[in-house]
Amino acid sequence: QLRDLDLAYCRNLGIDPWSYMASLSDTIECLRMARITGINEKSICSVPCSISFSKLKILDLSDCAFLTTQALRHLLNSTPNLE
C-alpha cells in the first residue's frame, strides 16, 4: 500500500491529478504536490466530500498558484488528521 508520495514539481501529471489522488484516500499518509499547476479549485472540489483522506497527515501544496480559499476549505473538510 502506498503511504508516501512525492510528486512535487512533476510537470506531466495531466489536468486533474487531485481526482486520481482520491483513489489513494484510504492509505496515503504523506503527499507532496508542490508547484503542480493542475491542482486548482475545480480539481479539488470535484472530489466528493464523502471521500475522506483520513490517514493523510502531511500535505504539501506549496506554490500551487491556482488554489483558492474555497478549494482549501473543501480540502480541509476531507483531511481531518493533517498535522
Side-chain angles (χ1 to χ4, degrees):
Q1 293 178 339
L2 186 62
R3 291 190 177 134
D4 192 341
L5 183 60
D6 187 345
L7 297 172
Y9 300 93
C10 290
R11 296 182 184 178
N12 297 316
L13 292 178
I15 59 169
D16 193 4
W18 189 253
S19 290
Y20 174 73
M21 293 306 126
S23 68
L24 303 173
S25 65
D26 292 345
T27 61
I28 197 81
E29 294 176 9
C30 178
L31 183 56
R32 291 178 178 86
M33 299 182 78
R35 205 170 215 186
I36 295 179
T37 57
I39 297 177
N40 55 37
E41 182 176 332
K42 183 179 178 183
S43 67
I44 299 253
C45 293
S46 69
V47 175
C49 293
S50 59
I51 294 178
S52 176
F53 292 81
S54 59
K55 293 186 178 182
L56 189 63
K57 295 178 183 176
I58 299 168
L59 177 61
D60 180 2
L61 294 173
S62 58
D63 240 357
C64 290
F66 300 109
L67 284 178
T68 63
T69 302
Q70 181 176 344
L72 291 173
R73 283 186 188 130
H74 185 83
L75 189 63
L76 287 174
N77 287 331
S78 64
T79 53
N81 295 314
L82 283 181
E83 295 179 353

